[in-house]
Amino acid sequence: MTSATFLFTPVEADLRILADNLTQLVGNRHPILYAAAEHLFGAGGKRIRPAIVLLISRATTLEEDISLGHRRLAEITEMIHTASLVHDDVVDESHIRRGVPTVHSLFGNRIAVLAGDFLFAQSSWYLANLDNLEVVKLLSEVIMDLAAGEIQQGLNRFDTSLSIETYLKKSYYKTASLIANSAKAAGILSNVSPESANNLYNYGKDLGLAFQIVDDILDFTGSMDTLGKPAASDLRSGNLTAPVLFALEEQPSLEILKILIEREFAQEGDLEQAVKLISDSQGIPKARELAAHHAKLARQHITDLEPSESKQALINMTDYVLSRLY
């Protein structure tokens, strides 16, 4: 598997600056929130979202250095993503994230919710200070989408009638919206044409969908070390993802799997039986095909960018997303 870090070589120095800035941006007026932020930003995430922003910034400003606005946008993107993870972990009652204890397991639910709110508020303040209304609108929409996705996921728990289309819409809200809108925002800060900005949006959207589908496959095929959280945790909590939905289309496992899910794995061995039914079905191979389809679309959306190391890294990113499965 290709390392994400290797892909980020064109923006390696930019990411170091970003890492130094993140905790400082939160500020130290609130010791507990500052401690929570230090814990979050030091938890070893791959920084894929800000890296994409920085790569697009460099790919669209070939003759000059990227602006402070580009750098701040990358930082805002990571702050929004991190805030959403804090809230997700509270809602999902997750105790491990990226292989380390979650904020709420260390500081309690109240501090975790406030820490997430604080990061959203801070990111909004820095966003407003970019003084670019179009970019403000794009990233504000992301924050609404994140909430909408979490609500939709909560309403659809253990719902075996869920369609792939509804699953993809929720995946857009929860994952792809941030990547898509921040990619477009980076292009806008580089003064690209409206058509190019839309292409960057679509690149981020399809890459984000591929990324989420792969994550959902890894929930069944990955180890605790790979995932940084317990396997089958989504299924256990009633979050039905692509492998499950494709498996539910098959006979004869359909009826058994449906019963197990709809009784919310109430009996001993229910979850293990459901995981085996999904693993023995075509659910995972079909989900792989869906992820590959969106990765291919993502590549096609950036063909108009001028050749550069950063453009190549963006292309390679679509292969990296799929390589995580192997």
Side-chain angles (χ1 to χ4, degrees):
M1 183 179 80
T2 306
S3 164
T5 309
F6 176 75
L7 290 176
F8 302 157
T9 302
V11 292
E12 192 176 348
D14 301 321
L15 285 170
R16 280 198 296 271
I17 294 169
L18 176 133
D20 290 340
N21 284 350
L22 278 172
T23 312
Q24 293 174 32
L25 288 176
V26 174
N28 56 11
R29 288 177 298 159
H30 309 284
I32 293 293
L33 293 177
Y34 185 71
E38 279 194 311
H39 172 72
L40 286 164
F41 295 135
K46 295 186 183 73
R47 308 264 195 250
I48 286 174
R49 289 153 188 83
I52 290 168
V53 170
L54 292 165
L55 286 168
I56 287 173
S57 300
R58 291 213 169 272
T60 52
T61 54
L62 296 178
E63 302 303 319
E64 54 194 90
D65 196 10
I66 60 174
S67 68
L68 290 175
H70 286 120
R71 293 187 187 281
R72 187 49 49 89
L73 175 64
E75 292 156 3
I76 290 165
T77 299
E78 184 68 354
M79 289 174 77
I80 291 173
H81 173 58
T82 304
S84 73
L85 295 184
V86 178
H87 283 174
D88 282 0
D89 288 339
V90 174
V91 172
D92 298 339
E93 299 180 350
S94 302
H95 295 288
I96 298 290
R97 164 77 67 176
R98 296 170 177 168
V100 299
T102 54
V103 171
H104 79 89
S105 68
L106 288 177
F107 301 97
N109 281 356
R110 185 168 175 272
I111 292 297
V113 170
L114 291 172
D117 289 347
F118 185 69
L119 285 172
F120 276 130
Q122 284 286 76
S123 63
S124 297
W125 189 83
Y126 286 115
L127 182 60
N129 278 276
L130 288 176
D131 288 328
N132 186 307
L133 185 57
E134 194 171 359
V135 170
V136 171
K137 287 179 178 179
L138 288 171
L139 274 294
S140 298
E141 188 171 330
V142 169
I143 296 174
M144 290 191 295
D145 286 347
L146 287 166
E150 197 61 49
I151 291 166
Q152 186 176 324
Q153 182 170 297
L155 292 174
N156 292 333
R157 288 177 73 239
F158 301 104
D159 180 3
T160 56
S161 67
L162 192 71
S163 68
I164 285 289
E165 290 73 24
T166 301
Y167 157 78
L168 287 172
K169 187 176 181 182
K170 183 266 296 180
S171 298
Y172 171 77
Y173 285 152
K174 287 201 68 179
T175 301
S177 173
L178 176 57
I179 301 173
N181 285 294
S182 60
K184 183 176 182 179
I188 288 168
L189 291 177
S190 299
N191 297 311
V192 302
S193 69
E195 182 185 359
S196 294
N198 285 331
N199 286 339
L200 292 170
Y201 168 87
N202 285 316
Y203 167 82
K205 181 181 105 174
D206 282 306
L207 183 71
L209 289 174
F211 195 91
Q212 185 58 57
I213 296 162
V214 166
D215 259 8
D216 293 338
I217 296 169
L218 288 172
D219 195 47
F220 292 97
T221 63
S223 65
M224 174 71 178
D225 289 342
T226 306
L227 299 172
K229 61 179 181 178
S233 56
D234 282 332
L235 182 61
R236 184 183 285 105
S237 65
N239 177 22
L240 308 189
T241 58
V244 185
L245 298 177
F246 283 127
L248 279 166
E249 293 175 354
E250 293 183 23
Q251 294 284 5
S253 64
L254 163 61
E255 289 307 320
I256 305 168
L257 184 56
K258 188 176 177 184
I259 290 167
L260 295 171
I261 292 169
E262 289 181 349
R263 72 185 183 205
E264 300 185 13
F265 311 117
Q267 297 181 19
E268 190 176 345
D270 275 3
L271 182 66
E272 292 76 11
Q273 187 181 358
V275 170
K276 186 174 189 318
L277 286 168
I278 294 160
S279 299
D280 290 346
S281 75
Q282 287 300 302
I284 290 171
K286 284 184 176 179
R288 280 198 195 107
E289 287 176 16
L290 185 61
H293 168 70
H294 284 287
K296 181 180 178 183
L297 288 177
R299 283 194 294 276
Q300 293 170 355
H301 293 310
I302 54 171
T303 52
D304 66 332
L305 288 177
E306 292 293 322
S308 68
E309 283 187 17
S310 293
K311 177 187 177 178
Q312 190 57 49
L314 290 166
I315 294 168
N316 293 344
M317 183 72 70
T318 64
D319 294 324
Y320 162 74
V321 167
L322 299 177
S323 77
R324 295 164 64 228
L325 291 170
Y326 303 102

